[in-house]
Amino acid sequence: LGTSARKTKMVCTLGPSSSTPQAIGALIDGGMDVARLNFSHGNHAYHTSLVDALAEALRQRPASHVAVMIDTKGQEIRTGRLVDGKPLI
């Protein structure tokens, strides 16, 4: 089935092994619909480089469209001693 006939979307997490325009291009050619960026790891410069690589791969495939999903860091539970040993409410 072509990508227009599919109802399921393929979400691919971009990372160290898929950070070049060539690697991302292979994902696009394989049917990637959404590029996921995991903001729990890396910094702004790293994520910018991933978006730039995605843009370059898409420039080589003008008929392709890929959404970007940013997965932000969730809540963290921190434990330890509080001021005066009292709970914070």
Side-chain angles (χ1 to χ4, degrees), residues 37-54:
L37 304 178
N38 185 355
F39 271 48
S40 293
H41 306 286
N43 56 33
H44 288 291
Y46 174 69
H47 294 294
T48 298
S49 71
L50 291 176
V51 172
D52 290 343
L54 173 62

Side-chain angles (χ1 to χ4, degrees), residues 6-85:
R6 279 190 288 124
K7 292 185 179 185
T8 302
K9 301 298 180 197
M10 289 180 57
V11 179
C12 301
T13 300
L14 301 186
S17 64
S18 57
S19 60
T20 65
Q22 295 78 17
I24 295 170
L27 293 172
I28 295 169
D29 295 342
M32 175 173 66
D33 297 297
V34 180
R36 175 182 172 264
L37 304 178
N38 185 355
F39 271 48
S40 293
H41 306 286
N43 56 33
H44 288 291
Y46 174 69
H47 294 294
T48 298
S49 71
L50 291 176
V51 172
D52 290 343
L54 173 62
E56 176 59 32
L58 286 169
R59 274 193 287 279
Q60 298 169 13
R61 295 160 180 80
S64 296
H65 302 280
V66 175
V68 175
M69 176 172 61
I70 298 173
D71 188 353
T72 59
K73 195 172 189 178
Q75 292 182 339
E76 293 181 353
I77 298 173
R78 299 181 188 269
T79 60
R81 302 221 181 261
L82 300 175
V83 177
D84 299 326

